[in-house]
Amino acid sequence: MNWALFHRAAGARPFWLASASAAALIAAPVMAQADVESPPSAEAAAQPNLQTPDTAPTVSDAPDVKGEEQVGFAADNLNYDSETDVVVADGNVQMNREAIELRADKVTWNRKSGQVFAEGNVTIKNPEGDTAYGDKIELTDTLRDGVVENLLVVLDNGARLAAVRGTRLENGNIELENAAYTPCPVEDNADCAKNPTWQIRAVRVMYDRTKNKIRYKGARVEIFGLPLIPLPGLSHPASSEAGNGLLVPGMRLDRNNGFEVSLPYYLRIAPDRDMTITPHFYTSAVPMIEGEFRALTDIGSFRVNGYATYSSLVPLNGDAPDSRRRFRGYLDSAGKFQFSPQWSLTYSGRIATDRTFMRRYDISRDDRLRSTFALERIGSTSYLSIAGWATQTLRRNDNQGQQPIALPIIDYRQRLDDPFLGGQFELQLNTLAITRTAGQDTQRAFAGARWDLRRLTAMGQELTLTALVRGDVYNSDENLLTAIPGYRGKSGWQARGIAAVAADMRWPFIGEFMGGTQTLTPRVQIVATPPIKNLDIPNEDSRAFDLEDGNLFAINRFSGNDRFEDGARITYGLEWNFSRPGFNISSVVGQSYRLANKSNLFPNGTGLTDRTSDVVGRTTVAYRDFLRLTHRFRLDKDDLSVRRSEFDVTIGSRSTYAVLGHSRLNRDILLLGEDLQDREEVRAGGRVAVTSNWSVFGSAIVDLTKRADAPLNTADGFQPIRHRVGIAYDDECLSIALTWRRDYVGTGDARRGNSFSFRLAFRNLGF
């Protein structure tokens, strides 16, 4: 058996004598090519030493040399035998040639044969910053070819290579006997010697100059001193470029597929092209193949990722499983291209053969797959976008024919300075076409202009004036296929005009408070809009509305363009901020009052059904990097009952922390067809550092929605969705994690149950 393991990003370094032809030997003894070899002999059983010798290199006294044939030389004592033409130097011997520095206790130089023998605390440093140590070195006077006893090479990045014996042959090939490599520290924080977390040992390492490749014999990975992973057939290119080979395998155990082993193989097609092919083998499912292709071009980059298998499918509608096998898969691609400083193209595409494939193989838990593209031109004062998107639903009860396909979406905006009052104009042109294979089709176009002026008064008030006008044209058909009447609009051609004026005033008051600074800012906004034909227009992009702190002071509180809030209203609120070194609190609360009743525009439970809105707000508390708490709420205007509450907190350090979250949405909606239903859930996660390297972690999601709030909910008050618990080890060069996950809700052939995964990552190897 002959394997090749790919070393993705090891930097090339010269050998102990800075031979350019031996460039990557000491950089990547990580993954080389090897044949299975018999146990090493007694001579080879000597262990290489990765610890740095006590004698450190001294400052060089040897003179600098300029010519390639010149050697700089310095020593405490120097003897020359003219008959044998032998030079013997001892006592802090130093030699320089071609930026290569050699130091030793004693050096014997035979000028006739050109041989150099260095003994005692030998140190050689090359121009790249790598340092080699040895007990005895035999080499030529070029300071390149030779033999080293008890070799240790310390790279400038901290990685180390040690060997009992190293030899450079006449043809430029290099052999190391009983070698070891590690990128891990060999000293603890107290500068005491320790064993590296992991290292690779091999009976022999061979560098083939002609093929520019490194091969290993008898290689194995030792973790915590234990020889755990044999590496028969290990190899990698002797350069900084990536090479073909096997990546680190993955292992997993779950209820759906049984025990899984994945074996990714990396294929280097060109310097700017590569591919990874990963077969997945299961004990309870047929194999699956995964592939990823990546490319870098002169104007951008893109990737294509796909999965494919041939297996049976469990329907979502509760029918009996179909034992017939069929093609199942998933395709994902994304990229960006920059044609010029202004023009760019971005795209992403996702598609699956069925609704449970991605959950069955734990690829993603998304319930919708969206494919998009956007051709954009961004100028200093203008913006143009030509875009489109389509959605594939993976939800159980969604009809794919009702999913919209938007093509094209064209949006153009131009900003102009106001030459009269000093404000700013923004002109906008927009068109949208939405098509459904079994649903309502809608086309829209509008043109609009907006003017904004911001001024500071003499009393410190910040005043913003806004005026906008817009004209819309719509055409739609098959409107009755839309389930919710408020979204349909009237079929055929419809037109409307929109105009609005607004004045927004903020008045900040700043002062000292409890050793810090507080800012209290009352805010008042007045918006006036004449009556608008809203319900005659199809609603495609302004659905699932909910009043919150983010849209309370918006001119149009709907998220899209198909709905625009008309009438006159006043919005008032209060912002408060307190700050001192390392600590900050910010809060906002507000409410609005509409002069005219628009109950038919906003669905029940949105917070804007009546003339007086619900009270909304947000509070954020931050203490250094240790605590961050955010709470958003909406309170009923009549009895202050909680209609919406979102609580998120992160507390702790990088090594030990907790993340907690709670969401409650009680919209009190009678219309079951509304997009946003009542829901309550709690989320928790965290990590605890047991030691400096070992930690335990976990997370959980629980559905707390009561059946009285959501009649279609299968649970009543407590339904675990998913939890995860694991243990991990992390240091400078190794990461190990064992995770247990349990899913409590199954969908089709993505059954509920337990799954276990094991992750092993060798850092500093580019895995």
Side-chain angles (χ1 to χ4, degrees):
M1 183 181 297
N2 191 24
W3 293 355
L5 267 76
F6 162 62
H7 175 61
R8 190 179 289 236
R13 291 288 186 271
F15 188 44
W16 74 88
L17 298 180
S19 169
S21 62
L25 180 58
I26 61 174
V30 194
M31 302 291 168
Q33 204 163 51
D35 300 324
V36 178
E37 189 173 270
S38 58
S41 63
E43 180 182 356
Q47 297 298 316
N49 186 6
L50 290 167
Q51 298 293 332
T52 305
D54 293 336
T55 302
T58 59
V59 178
S60 176
D61 294 328
D64 295 332
V65 294
K66 298 181 180 179
E68 294 183 358
E69 302 300 326
Q70 296 179 348
V71 177
F73 199 91
D76 294 341
N77 301 298
L78 181 65
N79 296 310
Y80 173 64
D81 189 334
S82 59
E83 294 182 0
T84 59
D85 203 12
V86 174
V87 179
V88 179
D90 58 47
N92 192 24
V93 183
Q94 302 164 20
M95 297 177 64
N96 296 336
R97 181 168 185 174
E98 298 180 17
I100 302 172
E101 302 175 3
L102 180 147
R103 299 173 181 83
D105 293 341
K106 180 180 179 180
V107 172
T108 302
W109 180 14
N110 189 322
R111 298 184 62 188
K112 290 183 179 180
S113 64
Q115 289 181 312
V116 178
F117 296 90
E119 302 174 79
N121 299 316
V122 181
T123 303
I124 300 177
K125 187 175 182 179
N126 64 25
E128 287 75 16
D130 306 327
T131 303
Y133 304 89
D135 293 342
K136 182 179 180 180
I137 298 180
E138 176 185 348
L139 59 155
T140 65
D141 55 7
T142 62
L143 300 187
R144 294 186 180 276
D145 304 342
V147 178
V148 181
E149 301 289 343
N150 291 329
L151 168 69
L152 171 66
V153 178
V154 181
L155 306 180
D156 61 347
N157 63 6
R160 293 165 178 260
L161 170 69
V164 173
R165 180 182 176 88
T167 305
R168 189 177 193 275
L169 307 178
E170 294 181 359
N171 61 1
N173 292 353
I174 297 173
E175 291 189 2
L176 298 181
E177 298 178 15
N178 203 345
Y181 167 82
T182 183
C184 305
V186 296
E187 294 181 348
D188 57 20
N189 295 332
D191 295 331
C192 297
K194 72 168 187 175
N195 292 324
T197 306
W198 70 266
Q199 60 181 308
I200 292 183
R201 290 185 177 271
V203 175
R204 183 172 290 112
V205 181
M206 295 155 290
Y207 166 68
D208 190 325
R209 180 182 180 186
T210 304
K211 297 182 179 179
N212 195 35
K213 199 167 189 178
I214 299 176
R215 303 176 184 275
Y216 282 44
K217 287 187 177 181
R220 67 183 186 274
V221 175
E222 294 185 358
I223 302 177
F224 304 121
L226 302 176
L228 297 179
I229 306 176
L231 300 173
L234 204 57
S235 74
H236 67 75
S239 66
S240 60
E241 295 184 358
N244 303 338
L246 193 68
L247 301 179
V248 176
M251 292 177 289
R252 178 182 171 83
L253 176 65
D254 64 39
R255 178 174 176 80
N256 293 320
N257 306 306
F259 183 72
E260 172 190 357
V261 176
S262 57
L263 301 172
Y265 184 86
Y266 181 84
L267 182 62
R268 182 74 164 182
I269 302 173
D272 55 357
R273 303 283 192 279
D274 64 14
M275 177 181 292
T276 303
I277 301 174
T278 307
H280 297 258
F281 300 98
Y282 309 94
T283 58
S284 302
V286 298
M288 181 177 67
I289 189 72
E290 174 190 358
E292 182 182 33
F293 175 79
R294 301 183 304 176
L296 179 66
T297 69
D298 294 338
I299 59 174
S301 63
F302 69 94
R303 64 166 181 83
V304 180
N305 188 30
Y307 299 78
T309 187
Y310 198 74
S311 63
S312 58
L313 175 65
V314 177
L316 286 174
N317 55 13
D319 295 342
D322 189 349
S323 60
R324 294 176 302 171
R325 294 184 177 182
R326 67 194 72 188
F327 172 79
R328 302 181 68 190
Y330 166 66
L331 185 65
D332 176 14
S333 181
K336 182 173 182 178
F337 303 94
Q338 193 75 38
F339 304 111
S340 70
Q342 293 80 30
W343 286 95
S344 66
L345 172 66
T346 305
Y347 82 92
S348 65
R350 305 176 70 192
I351 187 172
T353 56
D354 57 78
R355 303 194 182 195
T356 61
F357 176 81
M358 298 180 66
R359 289 194 61 184
R360 163 71 185 268
Y361 294 99
D362 202 28
I363 299 171
S364 171
R365 308 192 71 84
D366 294 341
D367 59 3
R368 284 177 175 151
L369 304 181
R370 188 164 179 171
S371 300
T372 67
F373 83 90
L375 177 65
E376 295 177 296
R377 185 189 186 280
I378 302 177
S380 58
T381 59
S382 64
Y383 172 76
L384 172 65
S385 171
I386 303 175
W389 51 262
T391 301
Q392 178 185 7
T393 182
L394 304 182
R395 296 183 176 184
R396 177 190 296 269
N397 298 317
D398 279 1
N399 183 354
Q400 182 60 45
Q402 291 282 342
Q403 303 306 309
I405 301 173
L407 184 70
I409 309 170
I410 302 176
D411 188 60
Y412 175 75
R413 306 189 187 202
Q414 178 73 52
R415 288 184 177 177
L416 303 171
D417 292 333
D418 178 4
F420 304 105
L421 300 177
Q424 188 176 75
F425 288 101
E426 181 178 285
L427 308 179
Q428 181 180 10
L429 299 174
N430 182 282
T431 181
L432 166 68
I434 288 182
T435 303
R436 295 177 175 87
T437 58
Q440 179 174 331
D441 298 335
T442 303
Q443 298 84 42
R444 177 193 75 197
F446 70 78
R450 174 169 173 159
W451 172 78
D452 290 283
L453 175 66
R454 178 179 176 270
R455 287 288 185 267
L456 294 177
T457 68
M459 299 181 63
Q461 297 141 336
E462 178 185 351
L463 180 64
T464 302
L465 303 177
T466 301
L468 64 87
V469 293
R470 202 179 85 189
D472 301 351
V473 177
Y474 281 79
N475 180 42
S476 61
D477 56 22
E478 304 290 346
N479 299 57
L480 294 179
L481 297 178
T482 297
I484 300 178
Y487 295 162
R488 296 172 184 170
K490 292 183 178 180
S491 62
W493 290 94
Q494 302 292 329
R496 69 175 177 183
I498 297 174
V501 293
D504 191 320
M505 191 272 289
R506 302 174 71 251
W507 195 356
F509 295 89
I510 303 176
E512 296 182 357
F513 179 69
M514 296 180 63
T517 302
Q518 70 169 337
T519 304
L520 187 65
T521 307
R523 184 176 181 180
V524 178
Q525 180 195 63
I526 299 175
V527 180
T529 304
I532 298 175
K533 294 171 54 178
N534 272 301
L535 298 182
D536 292 347
I537 302 300
N539 184 359
E540 297 283 3
D541 63 5
S542 300
R543 303 182 180 185
F545 172 81
D546 197 59
L547 182 65
E548 57 184 11
D549 64 286
N551 59 19
L552 177 64
F553 286 95
I555 303 299
N556 179 26
R557 293 190 281 201
F558 286 100
S559 57
N561 294 297
D562 292 337
R563 289 289 181 267
F564 199 100
E565 185 179 359
D566 55 359
R569 70 176 186 267
I570 179 172
T571 306
Y572 40 89
L574 188 66
E575 302 172 4
W576 180 70
N577 183 81
F578 170 69
S579 179
R580 60 179 300 171
F583 183 75
N584 180 264
I585 301 177
S586 62
S587 183
V588 58
V589 63
Q591 189 180 34
S592 68
Y593 177 77
R594 191 184 303 112
L595 301 183
N597 191 8
K598 292 287 182 180
S599 57
N600 59 349
L601 180 60
F602 298 98
N604 291 331
T606 59
L608 280 176
T609 307
D610 297 330
R611 297 174 65 174
T612 302
S613 76
D614 287 347
V615 179
V616 297
R618 170 188 48 80
T619 299
T620 301
V621 179
Y623 176 68
R624 301 187 184 276
D625 294 331
F626 182 77
L627 170 68
R628 184 170 184 85
L629 181 151
T630 301
H631 180 229
R632 292 181 174 88
F633 63 88
R634 178 165 64 85
L635 305 179
D636 190 279
K637 67 181 188 312
D638 297 323
D639 56 9
L640 298 182
S641 59
V642 178
R643 295 303 180 190
R644 178 175 181 173
S645 175
E646 294 179 76
F647 179 86
D648 291 283
V649 59
T650 301
I651 183 171
S653 62
R654 287 181 174 268
S655 57
T656 298
Y657 60 86
V659 179
L660 304 173
H662 175 267
S663 299
R664 174 173 172 78
L665 185 62
N666 182 12
R667 302 184 68 186
D668 195 21
I669 295 177
L670 300 177
L671 180 63
L672 295 180
E674 178 63 29
D675 288 346
L676 199 57
Q677 291 294 306
D678 293 354
R679 184 173 180 84
E680 183 176 5
E681 73 172 23
V682 63
R683 306 170 299 278
R687 179 180 295 268
V688 177
V690 181
T691 66
S692 58
N693 301 117
W694 289 96
S695 63
V696 294
F697 58 89
S699 64
I701 301 176
V702 179
D703 185 0
L704 301 179
T705 308
K706 297 180 176 61
R707 193 167 299 170
D709 295 328
L712 299 181
N713 196 36
T714 57
D716 190 9
F718 187 88
Q719 172 62 63
I721 303 299
R722 182 171 58 256
H723 80 242
R724 182 175 64 104
V725 178
I727 184 170
Y729 175 90
D730 287 281
D731 65 13
E732 301 90 339
C733 59
L734 181 66
S735 179
I736 304 175
L738 177 63
T739 305
W740 166 45
R741 195 186 75 188
R742 179 173 179 84
D743 291 285
Y744 293 86
V745 179
T747 303
D749 55 0
R751 297 178 296 173
R752 62 183 182 179
N754 300 319
S755 63
F756 300 87
S757 63
F758 177 73
R759 178 176 61 88
L760 175 63
F762 297 97
R763 296 179 179 173
N764 302 321
L765 290 181
F767 282 28

